[in-house]
């Protein structure tokens, strides 16, 4: 294992289809109008850092061996009954995480299973019955999948939230001692991007109450994707929701972002998702929620403009960077990180 230095980065990048370019301090100026990336910074090359920093582990290899290696670096506080929070996707979604990789990963974690919740929007997973059929279609049959709101909901407090004082989650979430947030990092129609925070904030909120709270809508659903609320308030609601969940699990929660098949669209779009235009990058793992999502965004911004353009445009046109600053303001992670290459 080695610190992720500029020299090591370029050595690593030679094995990637489209090489990345990164500076010692990740502080990119986006090609669009919104302010530069905010939140954490990569302090990898500083010899003396004032204060603490988060560790974000990285590999360019997207396979089960490296996924497990990363997990084993961050799993010290994972114990008991373990929930693996995964976005299992709409039917036949082309970008969801590879089933064989997830299957081997789940088998590596004792007393674990996948957890999900029903969707609010009408689709393949808005009822438990439809959701279970979609799980079969997509191949999530190798372990139990707990649809956490199948048996009702529970309210968690949101301490110090910007807008939400509590968040409604699937009741079955309270049956778990620990959570592994296994995220397909990609774009999102309203959030700009979907990282670990989005996977928690929307993915653990129950389908009918919690997701309405996060989206800020009443009983009548918007007719089109463009009509769903977004921008800063939505990002802040997501941060509030995620804070309630990470406060519940305390130190017994870890995060993994898999940066592959990064469409501008979420896996909730299914077969209608736009084809990715940015190359696969690798896998990141951390015990720090803010740091891992910030590092993932930073790696996107490090791409040459012609490759990052579509995803960056999606992030900035939806004001998705507000996810990061909202997490920082709510003290949901460290505002400094080191990216550590395990290859």
């Amino acid at each position: 294992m080695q610190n992720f230095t500029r020299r090591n980065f370029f050595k690593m990048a030679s094995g990637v289809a489209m090489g990345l370019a990164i500076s010692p301090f990740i502080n990119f100026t986006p090609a669009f109008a919104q302010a530069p990336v905010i939140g954490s910074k990569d302090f990898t090359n500083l010899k003396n850092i004032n204060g603490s920093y988060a560790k974000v582990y990285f590999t360019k290899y997207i396979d089960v061996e490296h996924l497990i290696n990363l997990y084993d670096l961050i799993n010290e506080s994972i114990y008991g009954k373990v929930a693996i929070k995964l976005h299992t996707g709409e039917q036949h979604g082309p970008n969801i995480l590879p089933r064989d990789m997830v299957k081997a990963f789940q088998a590596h974690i004792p007393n674990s299973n996948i957890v999900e919740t029903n969707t609010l929007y009408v689709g393949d997973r808005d009822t438990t019955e439809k959701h279970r059929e979609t799980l079969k279609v997509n191949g999530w049959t190798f372990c139990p999948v707990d649809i956490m709101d199948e048996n009702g909901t529970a309210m968690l407090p949101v301490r110090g939230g910007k807008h939400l004082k509590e968040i409604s989650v699937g009741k079955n979430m309270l049956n778990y001692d620990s959570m592994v947030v296994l995220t397909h990092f990609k774009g999102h129609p309203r959030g700009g991007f979907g990282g670990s925070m989005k996977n928690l904030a929307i993915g653990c909120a129950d389908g009918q109450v919690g997701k309405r709270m996060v989206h800020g809508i009443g009983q009548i659903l918007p007719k089109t994707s463009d009509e769903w609320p977004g921008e800063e308030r939505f990002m802040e609601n997501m941060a509030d929701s995620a804070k309630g969940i990470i406060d519940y699990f305390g130190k017994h929660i870890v995060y993994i972002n898999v940066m592959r098949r990064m469409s501008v669209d979420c896996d909730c779009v299914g077969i209608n998702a736009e084809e990715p235009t940015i190359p696969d990058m690798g896998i990141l793992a951390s015990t720090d929620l803010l740091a891992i999502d910030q590092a993932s965004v930073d790696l996107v911004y490090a791409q040459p403009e012609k490759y990052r353009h579509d995803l960056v445009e999606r992030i900035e046109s939806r004001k998705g960077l507000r996810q990061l600053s909202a997490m920082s303001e709510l003290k949901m992670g460290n505002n400094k990180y080191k990216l550590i290459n395990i290859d």
Side-chain angles (χ1 to χ4, degrees):
M1 187 185 305
Q2 56 190 355
N3 278 351
F4 198 44
T5 65
R6 183 179 178 88
R7 178 181 178 185
N8 289 332
F9 185 94
F10 282 108
K11 181 178 179 181
M12 175 216 70
S14 64
V16 182
M18 302 292 183
L20 302 174
I22 194 166
S23 62
F25 296 88
I26 299 185
N27 187 16
F28 303 101
T29 302
F32 300 90
Q34 192 167 331
V37 180
I38 47 183
S40 302
K41 292 180 184 296
D42 177 8
F43 282 76
T44 298
N45 289 331
L46 281 186
K47 293 182 179 179
N48 297 308
I49 302 176
N50 294 325
S52 64
Y53 60 88
K55 293 180 180 179
V56 180
Y57 297 97
F58 175 82
T59 176
K60 67 181 179 183
Y61 299 105
I62 303 176
D63 58 34
V64 68
E65 176 185 357
H66 289 83
L67 176 61
I68 288 173
N69 288 345
L70 285 174
Y71 171 72
D72 287 346
L73 292 170
I74 60 171
N75 69 354
E76 182 178 359
S77 295
I78 300 300
Y79 80 108
K81 188 174 183 180
V82 181
I84 301 175
K85 178 60 193 74
L86 178 72
H87 193 314
T88 54
E90 298 294 288
Q91 291 190 14
H92 306 294
N95 301 322
I96 57 179
L97 294 182
R99 268 75 61 179
D100 289 346
M101 185 172 76
V102 177
K103 178 180 179 180
F105 179 69
Q106 183 272 328
H108 180 72
I109 304 175
N111 199 17
S112 69
N113 54 258
I114 293 170
V115 300
E116 266 280 30
T117 55
N118 292 321
T119 64
L120 174 58
Y121 63 82
V122 177
D124 295 335
R125 299 180 298 136
D126 57 311
T127 69
T128 297
E129 182 180 13
K130 291 163 68 176
H131 200 155
R132 293 214 175 277
E133 178 60 28
T134 298
L135 291 168
K136 293 178 183 177
V137 169
N138 283 348
W140 305 114
T141 57
F142 50 81
C143 73
V145 178
D146 187 350
I147 299 176
M148 295 187 292
D149 53 346
E150 180 176 13
N151 299 314
T153 67
M155 283 290 185
L156 296 182
V158 179
R159 294 189 285 273
K162 291 184 173 296
H163 306 289
L164 304 179
K165 303 304 180 186
E166 57 184 3
I167 183 64
S168 181
V169 300
K171 184 174 71 173
N172 291 357
M173 194 186 84
L174 307 187
N175 297 332
Y176 294 90
D177 301 299
S178 305
M179 179 173 281
V180 176
V181 186
L182 178 59
T183 301
H184 171 214
F185 185 91
K186 68 281 183 187
H188 189 272
R190 304 312 301 159
F193 72 92
S196 284
M197 193 268 272
K198 179 266 174 188
N199 194 4
L200 281 173
I202 300 179
C204 292
D206 70 275
Q208 289 302 313
V209 180
K211 287 184 173 64
R212 291 180 191 274
M213 296 171 72
V214 176
H215 285 281
I217 61 174
Q219 291 302 309
I220 300 176
L221 297 183
K223 295 180 179 179
T224 68
S225 174
D226 290 341
E227 294 176 358
W228 285 74
E231 300 196 345
E232 286 94 339
R233 178 63 181 260
F234 177 46
M235 313 307 162
E236 293 164 2
N237 284 352
M238 283 202 291
D240 285 352
S241 177
K243 187 175 191 301
I245 295 160
I246 66 173
D247 284 351
Y248 174 79
F249 282 106
K251 65 180 181 179
H252 306 295
I253 184 169
V254 296
Y255 313 97
I256 298 172
N257 282 355
V258 183
M259 301 185 73
R260 71 178 290 276
R261 297 287 302 168
M262 290 178 285
S263 170
V264 298
D265 290 318
C266 179
D267 294 332
C268 56
V269 179
I271 60 174
N272 296 315
E274 292 290 334
E275 183 68 14
T277 56
I278 191 168
D280 296 349
M281 295 184 192
I283 309 176
L284 297 88
S286 184
T287 59
D288 189 291
L289 176 58
L290 170 57
I292 193 170
D293 274 1
Q294 177 69 58
S296 299
V297 169
D298 287 346
L299 288 173
V300 169
Y301 276 82
Q303 282 283 304
E305 199 276 338
K306 65 178 179 178
Y307 300 124
R308 76 186 187 202
H309 177 278
D310 291 352
L311 186 50
V312 167
E313 192 278 335
R314 175 57 59 92
I315 292 170
E316 297 189 355
S317 65
R318 272 58 169 181
K319 296 183 171 58
L321 297 179
R322 180 61 181 140
Q323 292 187 44
L324 304 173
S325 57
M327 282 193 281
S328 180
E329 291 163 11
L330 292 176
K331 302 186 187 306
M332 295 169 63
N334 202 313
N335 64 357
K336 303 175 185 177
Y337 71 86
K338 271 192 175 184
L339 199 57
I340 301 171
N341 181 14
I342 70 165
D343 297 335

